[in-house]
């Protein structure tokens, strides 16, 4: 049987092709084992699953979390309600406040507007994953030192955003911090102190020289 | 959110088969999950298209650049050569929403996002766009609505990328029944101009696969004005693009967002600007032509002087340094 050309290898033909091969083929045809296994994986991935709960494996703070979740469960709910990681907060649940910010492969994203099922196979970092052996990170310590919170509800989100910024930009300006944190809102109005904390954590300038930002 | 079935597509063909008549494509999910949470759309099944091969690339070319539908807004913002070649596109991308959204939001999803009219987004209100009898915005809160429309719904297109792509004369390549359609931005939204139920011209199952931007205009600029200085929708947005030779504009185009269901353009103004030297008087005259026949409503008349100023500023920004 001639292999179809890759681009003409549509879902249906591939499915029928694999069905006709059966699973034995994967163990016998040595030369093809790898590609058939890859094809099998694709076919499984293209299977329609749910709406009932299905196995979902997340990698959070370096550890595997094996959960049973309906496809509609958001990453935020998976963390908070299906495991005990309540550090990321739910504010708006509409991608508008930043309280739920987590890092995916070091980039900040809103966990409320992402399904858990599509966050498999990536590195997820939550606020719980920052401190190592009980030792706070520079960013966390700077938030305490600069009194960058009141109620603290927005804090995990801001800390994640600042942490992500400082991984890419070692010497951010005040404008860089504001651009990076624009998607985080603080109802208690701590933005000027948060800015100072971010600059302090980066070791940029002296906090006293920092402009006090008018957020009006 | 209602429970739904879920699948990941690995080819455009299978995506089309999986989505069938009642499914929805999931890209970054910023818009779609909001709609699902408010019970405004059904997704049966929800088809994740983020694993479609080859659609997450930005490719340069002498005559045109290709931007895959799965390219994120952050990818555009951080692309050094985009900043050089299409500065207006860089400016538009970096002002969209927040970093958290730009990191996942895609070009396809940004173009295909639904109306932001608050009556539309409120699940308990059944306005005209949701097949009710009345446009509530017309007689009530219409501060964020259109100055132009071809139907009774006055909800404007809010995609900042669409505004910029319109000025750059970019095309969206849409896959329908296995065939590629090439649409200008005007065509991508033409249906929303005449049909109150439409957000754009896409039909169920249509897949935006890429956007192609001609390199014919080396100058481009984008500006928006919002209530907040960051992380906010544009009240009015404006993009302009042209080639400038001997101080004169060649093939200039201006487009505005958030004031019409389509990126608002005036062919008359574009031809008027062609061959002209940019100065304040010329820009002002162009702005008058672009806003001619606008129909301000009770609460959005402020958009008139705002759009006037934005057109002038964006055009003058084209002069730039070089
Ligand atoms: C607070 C806030 C502020 C914002 N400000 C701005 C702003 O200033 N300017 C702006 O432009 N946007 C703004 N946005 C909108 C945001 O940019 C869009 O929601 C986002 O770009 C959508 O992209 P996505 O990939 O997440 O799409 P999704 O949510 O995954 O999809 C959106 C829609 O497009 C469809 N779709 C997705 N991909 C395709 C495709 N390839 N072909 C066909 N259909 C497709 C989906 O089925 C769905 O209906 C803002 C959003 C928020 C929440
Ligand atoms: S503008 Fe359109 S979406 Fe808004 S209330 Fe009127 S009909 Fe509905
Ligand atoms: S809870 Fe996710 S942005 Fe507000
Ligand atoms: S400290 Fe209360 S919301 Fe920021």
């Amino acid at each position: 049987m001639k292999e179809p050309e890759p681009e003409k290898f549509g879902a249906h033909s591939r499915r029928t092709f694999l069905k006709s091969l059966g699973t034995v083929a994967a163990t016998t045809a040595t030369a093809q084992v790898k590609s058939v296994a890859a094809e099998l994986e694709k076919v499984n991935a293209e299977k329609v699953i749910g709406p009932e709960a299905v196995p979902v494996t997340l990698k959070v703070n370096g550890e595997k979390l094996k959960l049973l979740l309906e496809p509609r469960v958001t990453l935020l709910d998976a963390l908070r309600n299906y495991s005990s990681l309540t550090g990321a907060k739910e504010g708006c649940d509409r991608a508008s406040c930043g309280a739920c910010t987590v890092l995916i492969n070091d980039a900040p994203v809103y966990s409320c507007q992402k399904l858990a099922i599509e966050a498999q196979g990536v590195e997820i970092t939550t606020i719980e994953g920052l401190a190592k052996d009980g030792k706070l990170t520079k960013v966390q310590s700077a938030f305490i030192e600069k009194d960058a919170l009141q109620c603290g509800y927005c804090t995990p989100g801001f800390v994640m955003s600042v942490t992500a910024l400082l991984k890419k930009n070692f010497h951010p300006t005040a404008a860089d911090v504001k651009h990076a944190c624009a998607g985080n809102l603080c109802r208690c109005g701590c933005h000027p102190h948060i800015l100072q904390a971010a600059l302090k954590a980066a070791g940029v300038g002296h906090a006293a020289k920092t402009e006090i930002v008018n957020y009006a | 959110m209602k429970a739904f079935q879920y699948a990941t597509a690995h080819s455009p063909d299978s995506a089309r088969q999986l989505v069938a008549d009642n499914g929805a494509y999931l890209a970054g999910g910023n818009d779609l999950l909001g709609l699902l949470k408010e019970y405004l759309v059904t997704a049966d099944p929800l088809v994740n298209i983020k694993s479609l091969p080859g659609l997450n690339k930005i490719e340069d070319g002498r005559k045109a650049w290709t931007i895959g539908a799965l390219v994120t807004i952050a990818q555009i913002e951080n692309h050094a050569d985009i900043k050089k070649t299409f500065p207006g596109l860089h400016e538009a991308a970096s002002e969209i929403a927040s970093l958290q959204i730009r990191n996942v939001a895609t070009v396809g999803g940004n173009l295909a996002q639904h109306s932001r009219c608050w009556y539309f987004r409120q699940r308990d209100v059944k306005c005209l766009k949701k097949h009710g009898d009345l446009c509530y915005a017309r007689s009530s809160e219409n501060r964020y609505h259109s100055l132009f429309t071809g139907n009774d719904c006055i909800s404007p297109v809010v995609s900042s990328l669409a505004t910029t792509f319109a000025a750059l004369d970019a095309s969206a390549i849409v896959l329908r029944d296995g065939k590629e359609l090439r649409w200008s931005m005007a065509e991508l939204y033409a249906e929303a101009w005449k049909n109150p139920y439409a957000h754009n011209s896409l039909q169920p199952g249509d897949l935006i696969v890429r956007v192609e931007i001609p390199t014919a205009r080396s100058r481009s600029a984008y500006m928006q004005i919002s209530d907040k200085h960051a992380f906010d929708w544009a009240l009015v947005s404006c993009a302009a693009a042209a080639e400038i030779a001997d101080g004169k504009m060649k093939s200039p185009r201006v487009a505005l967002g958030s004031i019409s269901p389509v990126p608002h353009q005036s062919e008359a103004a574009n031809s008027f600007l062609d061959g002209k030297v940019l100065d304040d008087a010329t820009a002002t005259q162009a702005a008058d032509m672009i806003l001619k026949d606008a129909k301000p409503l009770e609460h959005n008349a402020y958009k008139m002087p705002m759009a006037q100023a934005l057109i002038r500023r964006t055009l003058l920004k084209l002069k730039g340094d070089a």
Side-chain angles (χ1 to χ4, degrees), chain A residues 94-97 110 113, chain B residues 19 23-35 41 46-47 49-50 52 55 69-71 73 92 95-98 101-102 104-114 116 121 158-162 173-174 200 202-203 205-210 222 224 226 228 231-234:
Chain A
R94 291 293 185 282
S96 301
C97 76
Y110 295 140
Q113 212 78 321
Chain B
V19 89
Y25 295 131
L26 172 72
N30 288 291
D31 191 45
L32 190 54
L33 290 195
L35 295 168
V41 297
L46 187 63
V47 181
I49 56 170
K50 274 187 304 262
L52 294 184
L55 300 189
L70 294 171
V71 166
I73 294 170
E95 284 209 54
I96 290 176
S98 63
I101 288 180
R102 295 193 295 275
V104 288
T106 64
V107 169
N110 186 272
L111 293 177
Q113 61 178 302
H114 286 29
R116 295 303 311 187
R121 291 274 163 172
V158 292
S159 159
S160 317
L161 293 184
I173 314 299
V174 176
N200 47 54
L202 296 168
Q203 290 174 11
D206 285 357
L207 184 74
I208 302 174
V209 283
R210 62 182 186 277
Y222 171 89
Q224 71 175 53
S226 312
K228 290 195 295 164
F231 195 19
D232 202 359
W233 305 89

Side-chain angles (χ1 to χ4, degrees), chain A residues 1 4 7-20 39 42-43 46 48, chain B residues 10-20:
Chain A
M1 184 177 144
E7 59 269 26
K8 293 194 187 129
F9 209 43
H12 265 305
S13 58
R14 183 162 58 228
R15 222 168 269 150
T16 13
F17 166 65
L18 285 163
K19 262 191 200 148
S20 68
E39 284 304 324
K42 272 194 195 169
V43 171
E46 282 187 349
V48 176
Chain B
H10 288 274
S11 75
D13 280 353
S14 57
R16 178 66 190 98
Q17 283 164 21
L18 286 162
V19 89

Side-chain angles (χ1 to χ4, degrees), chain B residues 88 92 148 157 159-170 185-186 189 217 220-224 234 236-242 251-260 262-267 269-270 273 286-287 290-291 306-307 310-312 314-315 318:
Chain B
F148 300 88
V157 58
S159 159
S160 317
L161 293 184
T163 308
T164 317
F165 287 151
L168 287 164
D169 201 18
M185 288 301 123
Y189 295 97
R217 297 167 187 80
S220 59
Y222 171 89
M223 296 183 95
Q224 71 175 53
V236 180
S237 67
C238 180
S251 319
R253 295 181 72 88
V254 182
L256 287 101
S258 300
I259 62 164
S260 166
V262 299
H264 180 69
Q265 309 179 70
S266 152
E267 286 312 327
N270 289 344
L273 287 168
I290 292 168
L291 294 171
M306 192 177 269
L310 263 187
I311 295 167
R312 253 189 298 121
T314 313
L315 271 172
L318 278 188

